Amino acid sequence: MQKTMQNMSASLSSRLTGAIALALAACSLWLPAQAAAPLPPIRIGMIDGLSGPFANAGEAVVRNISYAIDRVNARGGVSLPDGKHLLQLSTFDNKLGVEDSLVQFRQLTDEGIPFLIEGNSSAVAAALVDAVNKHNQREPQRRVLFLNYSAVDPALTNEKCSFWHFRFDASADMRMQALTEAIKADPATRRVYLIGQDYSFGRQVAKAAREQLNAKRPDIAIVGDELHPIGKIKDFAPYIAKMRSAGADAVITGNWGNDLTLLVKAARDAGFKAKFYTFYANSLGAPAAIGEAGVGVVRAVAEWHPNAGGTPGSPSDAFYQQYRQRYPQAKDDYLYLRMQVMIEMLAKAIEKARSTEPAAVAYALEGAHYQSTFHDATMRAADHQLIQPLYLMQMQRADSGGIRFDNEGSGYGFRTERFIPAEQTALPSSCKMQRPPR
């Protein structure tokens, strides 16, 4: 009897096991596609200063790139032959130093990240271009593509151009072209003082200012030309005193980050009334630092600004307001359109190439066109310089009319003074690019 019961139990157990196996097999046929293991992300490595005196600039970039990536991922990611892949950002803090950047680049390549982004130093960008060139030659199976969002030394798309480097910002020469056109049209400007940060970018800004002013307004006297250590000066009052003593009625500067904020704050505190022609006075604390002294006399140049839409409810306004919903704090109020353009163009180039292999993506980026409801840009194949419109803008009180959005809650914003179409921003290039086989 006991043996019979054991046999029955074994038989029942066997039948149950078989039934469970059949049920699981049947269920597996009906599992939704979402249950499948997610496809690996497409990684983007950002090397930039996330600590030290320019940490605020690096943090602003992280916010903008994260926002751009989220917009791509919200529509499912980037389509490749095996399905949709999400974009993923990894950050590497270089403390804005060249040697630290090269160390972080080795970490990036060790992790097999195919796309490098950087921008907050032309000196760093030049070193990274060289490092990428050497790495890609040495390890063709693990290449890296360098996307530059802010390093504007013209050499990067001229004599030092590289197939592996693409710039999404206007070069210093292109920005200076916009500023000097405004100076050319202002007969009251007669004595100009140049001041900048002492590295490749600052030197190039001074060079471009001299050349363009001489060509457009040879009657203007350049009464000062100074370079100061980057990120080291805490009090710019002595520099402002020199400007006043020289009788300057206008100042041209490419300063950015705290070096710009402290410079204009010193001018305000000293009651120095000269006009400031800047690359970046619309950003990172500068409007609040300038305050009332900047109204009507401070100008900046960029590919876009929050009041560029012209009318309430425009697509440009909607784009800006969506960003502010994501980052509502005043201190986070700085949206770089070019970084959104960069991520969108990268995503489309990957889809066109049907691959994340850097050479294939680079070829897909050459000549690529970006178009939205309020911005058009083309990646020039000859030198990998993005050609896009520029806005020359003038600082005004937010309550003065026509200023829908102020900057960083400061009560001051910028109004378009001059719109420069993309074709008028393009300058000749001396690039002689060496391309790998397709």
Side-chain angles (χ1 to χ4, degrees):
M1 182 67 176
Q2 184 177 6
K3 186 173 181 180
T4 300
M5 291 296 290
Q6 289 173 344
N7 288 340
M8 289 176 63
S9 177
S11 176
L12 179 60
S13 176
S14 176
R15 288 197 299 274
L16 284 171
T17 301
I20 291 169
L22 286 171
L24 288 173
C27 286
S28 70
L29 296 175
W30 295 95
L31 283 174
Q34 298 95 299
L39 294 171
I42 299 170
R43 297 186 66 190
I44 300 171
M46 170 185 161
I47 297 178
D48 220 317
L50 300 175
S51 61
F54 297 103
N56 61 337
E59 291 163 0
V61 175
V62 173
R63 286 193 296 273
N64 275 264
I65 298 297
S66 298
Y67 180 66
I69 285 175
D70 288 349
R71 286 163 65 90
V72 173
N73 288 345
R75 49 180 198 259
V78 180
S79 295
L80 285 171
D82 62 346
K84 292 255 190 181
H85 294 248
L86 299 180
L87 297 177
Q88 183 183 91
L89 178 66
S90 298
T91 59
F92 300 82
D93 182 11
N94 66 0
K95 304 177 181 63
L96 223 62
V98 169
E99 291 305 317
D100 284 316
S101 299
L102 297 178
V103 170
Q104 296 302 321
F105 177 67
R106 286 193 290 272
Q107 178 66 34
L108 181 147
T109 56
D110 286 346
E111 294 185 25
I113 297 175
F115 302 111
L116 157 66
I117 61 174
E118 186 272 340
N120 280 333
S121 167
S122 289
V124 167
L128 286 174
V129 167
D130 186 56
V132 169
N133 288 342
K134 291 175 180 176
H135 169 81
N136 289 355
Q137 186 173 20
R138 186 172 60 249
E139 298 191 53
Q141 301 307 312
R142 300 175 66 241
R143 289 167 168 162
V144 173
L145 190 62
F146 179 11
L147 308 180
N148 167 7
Y149 47 76
S150 290
V152 297
D153 185 344
L156 296 170
T157 50
N158 283 284
E159 64 269 23
K160 294 182 180 178
C161 69
S162 166
F163 175 79
W164 307 108
H165 166 266
F166 289 80
R167 175 159 54 206
F168 291 82
D169 196 359
S171 73
D173 285 353
M174 296 163 76
R175 285 175 174 262
M176 187 60 69
Q177 179 88 342
L179 293 180
T180 54
E181 282 297 307
I183 294 173
K184 175 184 175 181
D186 180 12
T189 299
R190 303 300 297 255
R191 298 171 67 81
V192 172
Y193 203 103
L194 310 179
I195 185 168
Q197 296 152 316
D198 191 8
Y199 72 113
S200 57
F201 164 63
R203 291 188 287 273
Q204 183 57 44
V205 169
K207 177 176 179 289
R210 283 185 170 278
E211 291 176 350
Q212 293 187 27
L213 287 176
N214 184 59
K216 297 175 182 181
R217 284 283 305 276
D219 60 304
I220 286 179
I222 295 177
V223 296
D225 190 349
E226 292 221 40
L227 295 173
H228 61 81
I230 181 171
K232 303 290 185 183
I233 306 300
K234 303 303 180 185
D235 181 8
F236 280 87
Y239 294 92
I240 299 299
K242 291 181 185 179
M243 296 174 191
R244 189 195 298 276
S245 177
D249 51 45
V251 176
I252 295 178
T253 182
N255 277 18
W256 56 274
N258 284 341
D259 281 346
L260 176 62
T261 303
L262 294 174
L263 173 66
V264 295
K265 186 179 293 185
R268 182 197 64 187
D269 293 345
F272 182 55
K273 301 297 185 182
K275 296 175 184 176
F276 273 75
Y277 291 87
T278 79
F279 282 18
Y280 306 114
N282 59 320
S283 66
L284 296 174
I290 300 168
E292 189 67 19
V295 173
V297 298
V298 169
R299 289 168 174 81
V301 61
E303 75 281 356
W304 174 86
H305 65 100
N307 295 300
T311 56
S314 68
S316 173
D317 282 14
F319 170 68
Y320 175 66
Q321 289 169 323
Q322 287 166 8
Y323 174 83
R324 291 310 314 277
Q325 288 173 3
R326 168 73 180 274
Y327 297 109
Q329 295 190 52
K331 69 180 182 63
D332 297 336
D333 175 23
Y334 192 48
L335 175 57
Y336 301 85
L337 176 61
R338 61 182 178 272
M339 295 180 191
Q340 313 303 308
V341 172
M342 179 180 74
I343 295 299
E344 291 287 349
M345 292 186 75
L346 171 63
K348 289 181 180 178
I350 291 171
E351 291 182 339
K352 180 179 178 181
R354 298 172 61 81
S355 169
T356 58
E357 199 285 311
V361 176
Y363 276 115
L365 270 174
E366 289 194 330
H369 185 66
Y370 170 90
Q371 185 172 24
S372 73
T373 51
F374 59 91
H375 194 72
D376 290 88
T378 301
M379 181 56 70
R380 190 162 62 182
D383 58 353
H384 296 181
Q385 169 66 57
L386 191 70
I387 306 300
Q388 61 189 329
L390 289 175
Y391 290 83
L392 180 70
M393 51 192 141
Q394 184 186 105
M395 186 172 166
Q396 294 289 341
R397 297 183 195 88
D399 60 3
S400 64
I403 305 291
R404 295 181 305 290
F405 307 108
D406 67 351
N407 291 74
E408 302 170 317
S410 65
Y412 300 93
F414 284 80
R415 177 185 299 147
T416 298
E417 182 173 289
R418 181 175 302 191
F419 173 77
I420 304 104
E423 63 273 13
Q424 294 181 22
T425 71
L427 296 175
S429 173
S430 61
C431 174
K432 297 179 180 178
M433 190 175 293
Q434 300 296 313
R435 290 174 169 80
R438 284 184 181 268

